[in-house]
Structure formats: structure tokens, C-alpha cells
Amino acid sequence: MIFEDRFTVRAPIERVWAFLRDAERVAPCVPGVERIEVIDDRRYRVVALASVSFLSLSFAMDVTVTEVDEPRRLVSVAQGIDARLRERVKLTSELGLEAAGPGETIVDYRIELGVVGKLASLGLSVIKGKARQMATAFAGSVRDRLETAG
């Protein structure tokens, strides 16, 4: 499944870029993230909770930043498994930044989501609805943190 959207942040592109490259600052913006361990500038371990329909999952995920084009593009791959139900998930996230004028940045995102197990059997519409809800919450949280910090 692929999800794409964009949002505007009232902050200069350099500040948005610095924020998005700081895993510890971004993690609280991602719905469900319980814990993050920064291994290095490009690798993280994350524990994230998700409730989709009747399933409650806790994913232990390895995240690797695979592409960095400062301050324009950032690509990462996250793979994880829920220890209890053995559900698997893989996310490829692409973020694109574009200056929209003085003090404004457009953030484009594209997320490719792959799921295996009972989660996959829930149906596309249920998973899409939850993913869209999480993406909207992420965008709102990033915008709030950057705009109130400025």
C-alpha cells in the first residue's frame, strides 16, 4: 500500500530539515512510538504500538536511513515484528522538502507499507484508514512542534 500527501510548515527549510534528521525529536511525533534507541546517524531501534481493528500490536523495528540529500530528501526503511502475534511490517518512507517562501516549507511524504499475517487479512480499507490517521497525526505534530518553537 502506498500513501502520499503533503503539508506546509511555517518554518524555514533548514530548521525543518534539522528537526527531521533528529530521531529523538521526531519520535514523539510518530503515533505509537514508545521507545527509540539511536544507534548512529542512520540507524535506530524503535518500539511502536499500534491498534488496528481488534488487534493490538507492539512492533520492535529496525530503522535505517537509506538516502540523504540535504536539505531536500530523506528516505528510510523500517522493518519489524510483533513478538506475540508474529505480525510483520515493512515501511519505506520518503520525505521531500521544498522552500515555499520565506519561513515556509512544504513537506511531501510517500509511505509504502507492507504487512504480513493477521494484520494483512483485515482488509485494505481498515489498514489504509489507520495509516491515514497516523500520517495526519504525524504531520500535525511536526507542524505544531516546529511552529511553536519558532
Short mmCIF file of all heavy atoms in Angstrom, two decimals, residues 19-30 32-49 59-65:
data_model
loop_
_atom_site.label_atom_id
_atom_site.label_comp_id
_atom_site.label_asym_id
_atom_site.label_seq_id
_atom_site.Cartn_x
_atom_site.Cartn_y
_atom_site.Cartn_z
N PHE A 19 15.19 19.29 12.21
CA PHE A 19 14.23 18.59 13.06
C PHE A 19 14.03 17.16 12.57
O PHE A 19 14.09 16.21 13.36
CB PHE A 19 12.90 19.34 13.08
CG PHE A 19 11.84 18.69 13.91
CD1 PHE A 19 11.78 18.92 15.28
CD2 PHE A 19 10.90 17.84 13.34
CE1 PHE A 19 10.81 18.31 16.05
CE2 PHE A 19 9.93 17.23 14.10
CZ PHE A 19 9.88 17.47 15.47
N LEU A 20 13.79 16.99 11.29
CA LEU A 20 13.53 15.66 10.73
C LEU A 20 14.74 14.73 10.81
O LEU A 20 14.59 13.51 10.82
CB LEU A 20 13.03 15.77 9.29
CG LEU A 20 11.65 16.41 9.14
CD1 LEU A 20 11.33 16.63 7.66
CD2 LEU A 20 10.57 15.58 9.82
N ARG A 21 15.94 15.27 10.86
CA ARG A 21 17.16 14.45 10.98
C ARG A 21 17.47 14.09 12.43
O ARG A 21 18.39 13.32 12.69
CB ARG A 21 18.35 15.18 10.35
CG ARG A 21 18.33 15.20 8.85
CD ARG A 21 18.47 13.82 8.24
NE ARG A 21 19.84 13.33 8.44
CZ ARG A 21 20.15 12.09 8.77
NH1 ARG A 21 19.23 11.18 8.95
NH2 ARG A 21 21.40 11.74 8.93
N ASP A 22 16.72 14.62 13.37
CA ASP A 22 16.95 14.34 14.79
C ASP A 22 15.91 13.31 15.25
O ASP A 22 14.79 13.65 15.61
CB ASP A 22 16.83 15.63 15.59
CG ASP A 22 17.19 15.46 17.05
OD1 ASP A 22 17.12 14.32 17.58
OD2 ASP A 22 17.53 16.47 17.68
N ALA A 23 16.30 12.04 15.23
CA ALA A 23 15.38 10.94 15.52
C ALA A 23 14.70 11.09 16.88
O ALA A 23 13.52 10.77 17.03
CB ALA A 23 16.11 9.61 15.44
N GLU A 24 15.41 11.59 17.86
CA GLU A 24 14.84 11.72 19.20
C GLU A 24 13.79 12.83 19.27
O GLU A 24 12.87 12.76 20.09
CB GLU A 24 15.93 11.92 20.24
CG GLU A 24 16.75 10.65 20.41
CD GLU A 24 17.90 10.80 21.39
OE1 GLU A 24 18.39 11.92 21.59
OE2 GLU A 24 18.29 9.76 21.96
N ARG A 25 13.89 13.82 18.42
CA ARG A 25 12.87 14.88 18.37
C ARG A 25 11.68 14.46 17.52
O ARG A 25 10.54 14.87 17.80
CB ARG A 25 13.48 16.17 17.82
CG ARG A 25 14.44 16.81 18.83
CD ARG A 25 15.12 18.05 18.29
NE ARG A 25 14.17 19.12 17.97
CZ ARG A 25 14.41 20.07 17.08
NH1 ARG A 25 15.56 20.09 16.41
NH2 ARG A 25 13.53 21.01 16.84
N VAL A 26 11.93 13.65 16.49
CA VAL A 26 10.85 13.22 15.61
C VAL A 26 10.02 12.10 16.24
O VAL A 26 8.81 12.04 16.05
CB VAL A 26 11.41 12.75 14.24
CG1 VAL A 26 10.34 12.08 13.40
CG2 VAL A 26 11.99 13.94 13.49
N ALA A 27 10.65 11.22 16.99
CA ALA A 27 9.96 10.04 17.54
C ALA A 27 8.65 10.37 18.26
O ALA A 27 7.65 9.68 18.04
CB ALA A 27 10.90 9.26 18.45
N PRO A 28 8.60 11.41 19.10
CA PRO A 28 7.33 11.71 19.77
C PRO A 28 6.22 12.14 18.81
O PRO A 28 5.05 12.14 19.18
CB PRO A 28 7.68 12.85 20.72
CG PRO A 28 9.15 12.77 20.92
CD PRO A 28 9.69 12.23 19.63
N CYS A 29 6.57 12.49 17.59
CA CYS A 29 5.58 12.90 16.60
C CYS A 29 4.92 11.70 15.90
O CYS A 29 3.89 11.85 15.26
CB CYS A 29 6.22 13.78 15.53
SG CYS A 29 6.88 15.33 16.16
N VAL A 30 5.55 10.55 16.02
CA VAL A 30 5.05 9.35 15.35
C VAL A 30 4.10 8.63 16.31
O VAL A 30 4.52 8.18 17.38
CB VAL A 30 6.20 8.41 14.94
CG1 VAL A 30 5.66 7.17 14.24
CG2 VAL A 30 7.19 9.14 14.05
N GLY A 32 2.23 6.17 18.48
CA GLY A 32 2.53 4.82 18.94
C GLY A 32 3.96 4.55 19.34
O GLY A 32 4.24 3.52 19.95
N VAL A 33 4.89 5.45 19.01
CA VAL A 33 6.29 5.19 19.37
C VAL A 33 6.43 5.26 20.89
O VAL A 33 6.13 6.27 21.51
CB VAL A 33 7.26 6.17 18.67
CG1 VAL A 33 8.66 6.07 19.26
CG2 VAL A 33 7.31 5.86 17.18
N GLU A 34 6.89 4.16 21.44
CA GLU A 34 7.09 4.04 22.89
C GLU A 34 8.54 4.31 23.29
O GLU A 34 8.80 4.84 24.35
CB GLU A 34 6.73 2.63 23.35
CG GLU A 34 5.27 2.31 23.26
CD GLU A 34 4.50 2.89 24.41
OE1 GLU A 34 4.84 2.59 25.56
OE2 GLU A 34 3.56 3.67 24.15
N ARG A 35 9.44 3.90 22.41
CA ARG A 35 10.86 3.98 22.76
C ARG A 35 11.68 4.06 21.48
O ARG A 35 11.34 3.46 20.48
CB ARG A 35 11.23 2.74 23.56
CG ARG A 35 12.59 2.74 24.17
CD ARG A 35 12.82 1.56 25.13
NE ARG A 35 12.67 0.25 24.51
CZ ARG A 35 11.72 -0.63 24.83
NH1 ARG A 35 10.83 -0.35 25.73
NH2 ARG A 35 11.65 -1.80 24.22
N ILE A 36 12.78 4.82 21.56
CA ILE A 36 13.73 4.88 20.45
C ILE A 36 15.14 4.77 21.01
O ILE A 36 15.45 5.34 22.05
CB ILE A 36 13.57 6.16 19.60
CG1 ILE A 36 14.53 6.12 18.42
CG2 ILE A 36 13.77 7.40 20.46
CD1 ILE A 36 14.23 7.13 17.35
N GLU A 37 15.95 4.02 20.30
CA GLU A 37 17.36 3.90 20.63
C GLU A 37 18.14 4.30 19.38
O GLU A 37 18.03 3.66 18.34
CB GLU A 37 17.71 2.46 21.02
CG GLU A 37 19.19 2.23 21.25
CD GLU A 37 19.55 0.76 21.38
OE1 GLU A 37 18.65 -0.10 21.42
OE2 GLU A 37 20.76 0.48 21.41
N VAL A 38 18.88 5.38 19.49
CA VAL A 38 19.68 5.85 18.36
C VAL A 38 20.99 5.07 18.37
O VAL A 38 21.74 5.11 19.35
CB VAL A 38 19.95 7.36 18.45
CG1 VAL A 38 20.87 7.82 17.33
CG2 VAL A 38 18.63 8.13 18.44
N ILE A 39 21.25 4.35 17.29
CA ILE A 39 22.49 3.58 17.17
C ILE A 39 23.58 4.46 16.58
O ILE A 39 24.69 4.52 17.08
CB ILE A 39 22.26 2.32 16.32
CG1 ILE A 39 21.24 1.43 17.03
CG2 ILE A 39 23.58 1.58 16.07
CD1 ILE A 39 20.70 0.32 16.19
N ASP A 40 23.23 5.14 15.49
CA ASP A 40 24.13 6.13 14.89
C ASP A 40 23.27 7.07 14.06
O ASP A 40 22.04 7.04 14.15
CB ASP A 40 25.27 5.47 14.09
CG ASP A 40 24.80 4.59 12.95
OD1 ASP A 40 23.79 4.92 12.29
OD2 ASP A 40 25.44 3.54 12.70
N ASP A 41 23.90 7.90 13.24
CA ASP A 41 23.20 8.92 12.47
C ASP A 41 22.18 8.33 11.47
O ASP A 41 21.28 9.02 11.04
CB ASP A 41 24.22 9.78 11.72
CG ASP A 41 23.59 10.98 11.07
OD1 ASP A 41 22.74 11.62 11.72
OD2 ASP A 41 23.94 11.28 9.91
N ARG A 42 22.33 7.06 11.13
CA ARG A 42 21.46 6.46 10.13
C ARG A 42 20.71 5.21 10.61
O ARG A 42 19.96 4.62 9.83
CB ARG A 42 22.26 6.10 8.88
CG ARG A 42 22.70 7.32 8.11
CD ARG A 42 23.35 6.90 6.82
NE ARG A 42 23.72 8.03 6.02
CZ ARG A 42 23.28 8.24 4.78
NH1 ARG A 42 22.47 7.40 4.21
NH2 ARG A 42 23.67 9.30 4.12
N ARG A 43 20.90 4.81 11.84
CA ARG A 43 20.24 3.58 12.31
C ARG A 43 19.63 3.79 13.70
O ARG A 43 20.26 4.39 14.56
CB ARG A 43 21.22 2.41 12.35
CG ARG A 43 21.73 2.03 10.98
CD ARG A 43 22.69 0.85 11.02
NE ARG A 43 23.80 1.13 11.93
CZ ARG A 43 24.33 0.26 12.77
NH1 ARG A 43 23.88 -0.97 12.84
NH2 ARG A 43 25.34 0.60 13.56
N TYR A 44 18.40 3.26 13.85
CA TYR A 44 17.66 3.38 15.09
C TYR A 44 16.93 2.08 15.37
O TYR A 44 16.63 1.32 14.45
CB TYR A 44 16.59 4.50 15.00
CG TYR A 44 17.03 5.71 14.25
CD1 TYR A 44 16.54 5.98 12.98
CD2 TYR A 44 17.96 6.59 14.80
CE1 TYR A 44 16.96 7.10 12.28
CE2 TYR A 44 18.38 7.71 14.10
CZ TYR A 44 17.87 7.96 12.83
OH TYR A 44 18.29 9.05 12.14
N ARG A 45 16.64 1.86 16.62
CA ARG A 45 15.73 0.79 17.02
C ARG A 45 14.53 1.47 17.67
O ARG A 45 14.70 2.36 18.52
CB ARG A 45 16.39 -0.17 18.01
CG ARG A 45 17.40 -1.05 17.34
CD ARG A 45 17.76 -2.25 18.20
NE ARG A 45 18.77 -3.02 17.49
CZ ARG A 45 20.08 -2.96 17.75
NH1 ARG A 45 20.52 -2.20 18.72
NH2 ARG A 45 20.92 -3.67 17.06
N VAL A 46 13.35 1.02 17.31
CA VAL A 46 12.13 1.65 17.77
C VAL A 46 11.16 0.57 18.26
O VAL A 46 11.06 -0.49 17.64
CB VAL A 46 11.46 2.45 16.61
CG1 VAL A 46 10.13 3.03 17.03
CG2 VAL A 46 12.39 3.55 16.12
N VAL A 47 10.45 0.87 19.32
CA VAL A 47 9.32 0.05 19.74
C VAL A 47 8.08 0.91 19.54
O VAL A 47 8.00 2.03 20.07
CB VAL A 47 9.45 -0.41 21.20
CG1 VAL A 47 8.18 -1.14 21.64
CG2 VAL A 47 10.67 -1.30 21.38
N ALA A 48 7.15 0.40 18.74
CA ALA A 48 5.94 1.15 18.42
C ALA A 48 4.71 0.29 18.64
O ALA A 48 4.69 -0.89 18.27
CB ALA A 48 5.99 1.63 16.98
N LEU A 49 3.69 0.89 19.23
CA LEU A 49 2.42 0.21 19.46
C LEU A 49 1.43 0.64 18.40
O LEU A 49 1.43 1.79 17.97
CB LEU A 49 1.87 0.58 20.84
CG LEU A 49 2.78 0.33 22.04
CD1 LEU A 49 2.10 0.81 23.31
CD2 LEU A 49 3.14 -1.13 22.14
N PHE A 59 5.43 -3.48 17.86
CA PHE A 59 6.48 -3.80 16.89
C PHE A 59 7.84 -3.35 17.38
O PHE A 59 8.03 -2.20 17.75
CB PHE A 59 6.20 -3.12 15.55
CG PHE A 59 5.05 -3.72 14.81
CD1 PHE A 59 3.81 -3.11 14.83
CD2 PHE A 59 5.21 -4.90 14.10
CE1 PHE A 59 2.75 -3.66 14.15
CE2 PHE A 59 4.15 -5.45 13.41
CZ PHE A 59 2.91 -4.83 13.44
N ALA A 60 8.80 -4.27 17.38
CA ALA A 60 10.21 -3.94 17.56
C ALA A 60 10.76 -3.74 16.15
O ALA A 60 10.74 -4.68 15.35
CB ALA A 60 10.93 -5.05 18.29
N MET A 61 11.21 -2.53 15.86
CA MET A 61 11.57 -2.20 14.48
C MET A 61 13.01 -1.70 14.39
O MET A 61 13.48 -0.98 15.25
CB MET A 61 10.62 -1.14 13.94
CG MET A 61 9.18 -1.57 13.99
SD MET A 61 8.08 -0.37 13.25
CE MET A 61 8.43 -0.66 11.54
N ASP A 62 13.66 -2.10 13.31
CA ASP A 62 14.96 -1.55 12.95
C ASP A 62 14.72 -0.54 11.83
O ASP A 62 14.08 -0.86 10.84
CB ASP A 62 15.90 -2.66 12.46
CG ASP A 62 16.31 -3.59 13.59
OD1 ASP A 62 16.59 -3.10 14.68
OD2 ASP A 62 16.32 -4.81 13.36
N VAL A 63 15.23 0.66 12.02
CA VAL A 63 15.06 1.74 11.05
C VAL A 63 16.43 2.11 10.50
O VAL A 63 17.37 2.32 11.26
CB VAL A 63 14.40 2.98 11.70
CG1 VAL A 63 14.20 4.07 10.66
CG2 VAL A 63 13.09 2.61 12.38
N THR A 64 16.52 2.19 9.18
CA THR A 64 17.76 2.60 8.52
C THR A 64 17.46 3.74 7.55
O THR A 64 16.57 3.62 6.70
CB THR A 64 18.38 1.42 7.73
OG1 THR A 64 18.58 0.33 8.63
CG2 THR A 64 19.70 1.82 7.10
N VAL A 65 18.18 4.83 7.70
CA VAL A 65 18.10 5.93 6.74
C VAL A 65 18.95 5.51 5.54
O VAL A 65 20.14 5.26 5.67
CB VAL A 65 18.61 7.25 7.35
CG1 VAL A 65 18.62 8.36 6.30
CG2 VAL A 65 17.76 7.64 8.55
#
